[in-house]
Amino acid sequence: CCRLAIRSLRGTACAPALTASSRRLAVLAKRDARVICVEAKDVIDPADLSLYDPDLTHPSRAGAALIGDLIARRMAQASPG
């Protein structure tokens, strides 16, 4: 589950809802093999500001490309033959 936004919004009014949503998605992924849960933090280096839009919350095109590649790899791993 993507936690990129949760980490950057910690301490804001949005953080509790995003944290709860992320936890629910993780539980769902554990219960249902058809659900793939990925962690953006696996490919996004918080120190690399080029991976963030100017708002420092959302991924830039480069960051989104890394997340997209991660999702594609996980989908390929989960797909039969």
Side-chain angles (χ1 to χ4, degrees):
C1 302
C2 180
R3 297 184 197 273
L4 175 63
I6 293 169
R7 291 186 193 292
S8 61
L9 293 176
R10 191 172 308 272
T12 69
C14 297
L18 292 171
T19 299
S21 177
S22 182
R23 287 184 182 143
R24 287 187 195 115
L25 290 170
V27 168
L28 179 61
K30 287 181 182 178
R31 291 183 181 168
D32 188 338
R34 298 170 299 172
V35 176
I36 298 169
C37 189
V38 300
E39 296 278 354
K41 68 179 184 170
D42 292 343
V43 293
I44 299 292
D45 177 0
D48 185 351
L49 297 183
S50 73
L51 300 178
Y52 294 89
D53 264 349
D55 66 8
L56 297 179
T57 299
H58 298 95
S60 64
R61 286 182 186 259
L66 291 174
I67 295 168
D69 288 344
L70 173 63
I71 293 168
R73 285 194 310 271
R74 290 292 305 275
M75 288 176 67
Q77 291 169 349
S79 296

